[in-house]
Amino acid sequence: MLFSFPLPEFFGSSYLCTMRVTEHFQRAEGKTLISFEVIPPLKGSMQAIFNTLDALMEFKPPFIDVTYHREEYLYKKRPSGYYEKASIRKRPGTVGICAAVMHRYGVDAVPHLICGGFSREETENALIDLNFLGINNVLALRGDARQFEDKFTAEENGHKYALELVKQIADMNAGKYLDANITGGDTTDFCIGVAGYPEKHFEAPNLASDLHFTKEKVKAGADYIVTQMFFDNQKYFEYVDACRAAGIKVPIVPGLKPLTKKYQLNSIPRKFFINMPEDLVSAIVKAKDDEAVNQIGIEWAIAQSKELKARGVPCLHYYTMGENETIKKIVSAVL
Ligand code: FAD
């Protein structure tokens, strides 16, 4: 299904979207593409996303990922002294941002869709909305535990693992909806991406187990994998080799994030369960301020990107996290 969106003058020629992410890889014929991930802003301002992407569009990313954030619980103290549990969505708007990105820039958008907080019916409805909007790409994820919860819990009648979500999307691609009475429903054409972990997902007992379930996601219909960030390319190369040995043949896109602040030396491993190479750690420790850290982070990410590109990865996928100037310096040096 192809939709033509009007483009702002700035981008000149018209662009037909949507194309499947894997089609972009095929059309690139071995050339390494550049793509970006953005995070919905805290409620109120879409401008932050546009500022980030306006600065990065010169690199002609064929697609932009937009993350999804589950609701969180807050405990508010009432005048009586008791605490009230309130559920809030701090960063809503993933689908709206995807539509806005496609409309403004004429590039494909990849909404992240998570299991957490969704029943199967709600997932189906979200997918129907995406299909109606002409969004044919989705990154299917489980999501993490809510803040203050020690493990992930699925919604009642929701999915426990990304694998089940992939199966639901693949079913819709085959015209199968939850209500078995619906026959002849629209067949969707979602290109399905899933997450992969070069340093293993933190809950997996070992890499082999994690790879087993990643392979199940691919068997169920996942078309490509995007990795968790890593700072040691060797981990990525070994992961790709392990995937291939396990029979996982789909494209594996490396996810990259530059270090920009000293505190990330501890916060990133704590949050993403990854290791940092000793050379990088000692350079950051010696850096006199965050400006120096930023420079080291840029140089490290450039070196990583150049090596990955030289090894022919399908795409370099940057987690922008509002750091558009930093990302711009990196990509400029890599292209
Ligand atoms: P799964 O594939 O379901 O795996 C979770 C764990 O369960 C793994 O240890 C796996 O080995 C194991 N497992 C899988 N299937 C089974 C099974 N059938 N039986 C037993 N064990 C199983 N989170 C968000 O909330 N929003 C986002 O936008 C977001 N974007 C991300 C983008 C990328 C590229 C990556 C790498 C992660 C992203 N995350 C996001 C984080 C992700 O939701 C977490 O890492 C989460 O803990 C796992 O998600 P998953 O899809 O890999 O889960």
Side-chain angles (χ1 to χ4, degrees):
M1 189 185 317
L2 289 179
F3 286 79
S4 179
F5 285 85
L7 292 177
E9 286 291 303
F10 174 52
F11 293 102
S13 67
S14 74
Y15 181 102
L16 282 177
C17 39
T18 75
M19 242 162 66
R20 296 161 63 88
V21 163
T22 46
E23 245 178 290
H24 286 293
F25 298 153
Q26 282 152 14
R27 287 196 179 194
E29 294 179 339
K31 188 171 161 264
T32 298
L33 302 173
I34 302 288
S35 64
F36 303 110
E37 178 193 279
V38 294
I39 300 177
L42 292 169
K43 289 173 191 170
S45 171
M46 179 64 192
Q47 197 52 45
I49 295 280
F50 288 149
N51 290 347
T52 297
L53 291 179
D54 284 355
L56 297 174
M57 277 301 144
E58 65 177 275
F59 304 117
K60 302 197 178 352
F63 60 91
I64 305 288
D65 276 51
V66 183
T67 59
Y68 187 92
H69 298 263
R70 190 179 185 175
E71 85 287 6
E72 289 174 16
Y73 289 140
L74 283 186
Y75 290 89
K76 292 183 187 161
K77 198 169 186 181
R78 292 162 67 179
S80 62
Y82 287 109
Y83 281 87
E84 182 187 5
K85 190 175 173 187
S87 166
I88 56 150
R89 290 276 314 282
K90 277 191 179 164
R91 294 180 184 273
T94 299
V95 174
I97 292 170
C98 285
V101 161
M102 288 167 70
H103 183 71
R104 183 176 170 94
Y105 303 109
V107 300
D108 284 309
V110 184
H112 292 190
L113 191 59
I114 64 171
C115 304
F118 283 82
S119 67
R120 281 157 212 257
E121 284 75 20
E122 286 163 341
T123 298
E124 184 172 278
N125 292 340
L127 289 163
I128 288 171
D129 278 344
L130 293 176
N131 186 42
F132 286 168
L133 280 166
I135 297 173
N136 286 347
N137 292 290
V138 69
L139 194 74
L141 302 145
R142 187 195 68 180
D144 281 318
R146 291 187 192 91
Q147 217 183 352
F148 310 123
E149 285 184 350
D150 63 352
K151 64 178 173 51
F152 174 84
T153 45
E155 209 62 15
E156 202 182 326
N157 193 27
H159 298 304
K160 277 198 200 135
Y161 295 106
L163 171 61
E164 297 162 10
L165 175 57
V166 171
K167 285 182 180 164
Q168 184 174 8
I169 303 169
D171 275 351
M172 282 180 62
N173 281 348
K176 261 171 74 182
Y177 288 75
L178 292 174
D179 181 348
N181 294 320
I182 296 180
T183 52
D186 197 6
T187 54
T188 56
D189 186 26
F190 288 109
C191 175
I192 310 169
V194 291
Y197 303 84
E199 298 180 63
K200 165 183 114 49
H201 184 261
F202 71 101
E203 291 168 24
N206 56 40
L207 185 63
S209 162
D210 208 17
L211 283 179
H212 167 77
F213 289 117
T214 304
K215 186 172 177 184
E216 291 298 304
K217 291 193 279 192
V218 173
K219 281 198 322 212
D223 298 290
Y224 69 103
I225 294 169
V226 185
T227 75
Q228 182 57 278
M229 66 180 77
F230 55 89
F231 292 89
D232 179 353
N233 282 354
Q234 202 48 38
K235 306 269 188 211
Y236 169 83
F237 297 135
E238 285 167 10
Y239 178 69
V240 173
D241 287 348
C243 284
R244 300 306 180 225
I248 299 170
K249 302 215 160 45
V250 295
I252 302 176
V253 175
L256 296 167
K257 172 184 161 34
L259 281 180
T260 53
K261 308 270 184 320
K262 205 167 231 180
Y263 71 77
Q264 292 171 339
L265 220 42
N266 303 113
S267 65
I268 287 182
R270 194 170 58 234
K271 185 151 188 231
F272 299 103
F273 303 92
I274 55 168
N275 287 297
M276 296 208 187
E278 187 46 35
D279 288 358
L280 176 62
V281 173
S282 60
I284 299 283
V285 168
K286 282 186 211 140
K288 67 176 188 325
D289 54 24
D290 277 345
E291 202 181 314
V293 171
N294 196 13
Q295 191 50 38
I296 295 164
I298 288 172
E299 284 164 21
W300 192 273
I302 290 172
Q304 270 196 286
S305 305
K306 282 186 171 172
E307 187 184 24
L308 290 162
K309 188 174 171 221
R311 293 279 285 260
V313 298
C315 183
L316 295 165
H317 185 66
Y318 294 94
Y319 301 120
T320 63
M321 297 185 179
E323 302 280 359
N324 45 315
E325 284 309 315
T326 298
I327 302 289
K328 197 170 172 170
K329 284 179 190 160
I330 296 162
V331 181
S332 302
V334 172
L335 286 181

